[in-house]
């Protein structure tokens, strides 16, 4: 059986789930559902990153110990994903014992192999990023990301001989052009590798930071948070047990945003090399959601929270906008106005109306009973079928390239085609001629089949919609796609009366959201 393994970043527990986290998590969820629907064994991992300065400081600010703090925020991430219907297979926490054990084992292994050494280091440290910066990287002495003054710190620490693996990593990137994708991020990694790769400081003295996994070979130190966090992708599979690691690791697809490209494209593969483990298959990097602050509604504030969006508009409307609007790899602007327009135009007017319309006609003309489909030999019937077969193939092609927006566009082109088919065949006029009734039955059967296939093609992107369409059509739930035309409705099959799938969003930003 074909397998595939998707991971999201494990999110820091110093912030609550927002739009950015939700986007990456929805991508992984869509990918898992998509591959499952095509008969593949897809495994999906997400979780929380709970050690390090940032978390210790956030906990101190809240006057609680770091573990209690992490428990609370981690649970919040998990329950958010549960409420949003995210179908993760495992939720990992870096404070889980099995994870800590794997991190210790790998550290010891790399230490024994001679790739970790003790040395003195002085550098500019940003607490927000939890890393040292070179003077050249700082802007006016400040961290380019956090815009806070970097502190000069001199201390003895352990270092990972990352530089030793530079050539091997370059060779891998050249031999496997799809290792980091889209292309622009591969280019960015290659350009980082044009400079000599420095060794990586992988410890923090306990005198400065206690909240971390102790180094197995020196109890006075804890592990640098990235060395701990990246290993989650491996420890989760080991924890799953059996042959999970061998089965899923070779088809591991990481999904991240561009902010954490360097740790994933440079630290992680070199760590894997040093640990004697094979590399992951592909690093898929998306861009950033930028807030369109001026247009954000007052009541929502500037932070988009997944649960607010779900409650107000439904999860599928939110998923649709995110997946349809962002071009994978590029930045996108989040605007409530664009959200409302997109959802109203595509979901409420286009697809929603189509579903209501055909079910209403089926009910009125045939009491909801599906009629024979006919031989489908007429030009307009054939064209409708062809439009759907083309859409199904195009979804596969686009998903291979993570072009979620194009996959959805293809499905909606087929929906447009169906609306044109109704106009062209005019069942509402034809029905007035009694001898044309069988033809009206055929036409509606074709439209119902379009709706069936649209719902099934949409299901990985919009799971609730996929299920609701099947329910309206009186068909059993399924998570596998039958990308064929016809044969969905047995003789005497009855569909439901119409029900609104997507209510039009009437509010404007002036309503206060
Ligand atoms: O970096 N647009 O965790 P994190 C799109 N713990 N995606 C966004 C986003 C935005 N504006 N903001 C955040 C960490 N994200 C580490 C990861 S992995 C071994 C350790 C998403 O909580 C995006 O996926 O800061 C980004 O890579 C991630 O959140 C960063 O999450």
């Amino acid at each position: 059986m074909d397998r595939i393994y998707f991971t999201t970043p494990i999110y820091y527990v110093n912030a609550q789930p927002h739009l950015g986290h939700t986007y990456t998590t929805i991508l992984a969820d869509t990918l898992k559902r998509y591959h499952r629907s095509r008969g593949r064994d897809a495994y999906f991992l997400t979780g929380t990153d709970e050690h390090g300065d940032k978390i210790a400081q956030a906990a101190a600010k809240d006057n609680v110990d770091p573990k209690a703090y992490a428990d609370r925020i981690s649970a919040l991430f998990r329950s958010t994903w549960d409420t949003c219907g995210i179908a993760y297979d495992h939720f990992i926490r870096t404070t889980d014992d099995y994870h800590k054990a794997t991190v210790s084992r790998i550290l010891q292994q790399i230490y024994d192999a001679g790739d970790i050494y003790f040395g003195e280091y002085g550098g500019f440290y940003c607490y927000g990023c939890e890393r040292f910066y070179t003077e050249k990287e700082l802007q006016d002495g400040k961290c380019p990301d956090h815009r806070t003054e970097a502190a000069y710190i001199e201390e003895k620490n352990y270092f990972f001989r990352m530089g030793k693996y530079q050539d091997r990593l370059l060779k891998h990137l050249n031999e496997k052009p799809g290792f980091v994708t889209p292309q622009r991020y591969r280019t960015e990694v290659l350009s980082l590798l044009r400079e000599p790769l420095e060794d990586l400081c992988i410890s923090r003295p306990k005198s400065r930071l206690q909240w971390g996994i102790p180094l197995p070979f020196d109890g006075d130190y804890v592990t640098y948070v990235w060395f701990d966090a990246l290993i989650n992708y491996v420890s989760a599979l080991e924890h799953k047990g059996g042959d999970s690691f061998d089965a899923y690791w070779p088809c591991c697809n990481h999904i991240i945003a561009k902010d954490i490209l360097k740790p994933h494209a440079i630290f992680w593969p070199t760590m894997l090399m040093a640990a004697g483990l094979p590399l992951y298959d592909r690093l898929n990097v998306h861009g950033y959601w930028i807030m369109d602050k001026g247009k954000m509604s007052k009541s929502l504030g500037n932070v988009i929270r997944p649960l607010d969006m779900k409650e107000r508009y439904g999860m599928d409307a939110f998923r649709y906008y995110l997946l349809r609007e962002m071009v994978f790899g590029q930045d996108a602007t989040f605007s409530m106005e664009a959200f409302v327009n997109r959802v109203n135009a595509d979901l409420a007017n286009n697809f929603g109306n189509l579903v209501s319309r055909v079910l209403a006609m089926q009910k009125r003309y045939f009491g909801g009973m599906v009629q024979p489909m006919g031989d489908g030999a007429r030009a307009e019937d054939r064209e409708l079928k062809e439009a759907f077969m083309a859409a199904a193939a195009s979804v596969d092609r686009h998903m291979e390239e993570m072009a979620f927006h194009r996959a959805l566009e293809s499905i909606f082109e087929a929906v447009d085609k169906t609306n044109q088919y109704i106009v062209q065949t005019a069942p509402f006029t034809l029905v007035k001629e009694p001898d044309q009734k069988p033809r009206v039955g055929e036409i509606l059967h074709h439209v119902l089949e379009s709706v069936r296939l649209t719902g099934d093609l949409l299901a990985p992107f919009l799971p609730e919609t996929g299920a609701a369409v099947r329910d309206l059509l009186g068909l059993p739930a399924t998570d596998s796609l039958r990308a064929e035309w016809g044969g969905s409705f047995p003789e005497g099959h009855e569909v439901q009366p119409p029900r609104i799938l997507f209510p039009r969003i009437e509010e404007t930003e002036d309503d206060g959201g």
Side-chain angles (χ1 to χ4, degrees), residues 8-12 14 18-21 23-24 49 54 226 229-230 232-233 255-260 264 286-290 326:
T8 70
I10 44 170
Y11 304 114
Y12 284 129
N14 64 344
H18 60 60
L19 170 67
H21 310 123
Y23 176 68
T24 318
D49 189 356
K54 263 195 236 197
W226 274 104
L230 289 161
N232 92 86
Y233 302 131
I255 304 164
I256 60 164
K258 61 183 185 179
D259 56 334
I260 51 177
H264 281 82
H286 65 76
Y288 246 52
W289 281 100
I290 315 286
M326 185 179 260

Side-chain angles (χ1 to χ4, degrees), residues 113-139:
D115 278 344
I116 289 175
Y117 63 91
F118 195 54
E120 178 126 27
Y121 187 79
F124 294 96
Y125 192 77
C126 169
Y127 284 91
C129 301
E130 313 209 10
R131 59 167 277 211
F132 284 102
Y133 277 93
T134 61
E135 236 172 319
K136 219 169 77 187
E137 286 176 307
L138 296 176
Q139 292 168 358

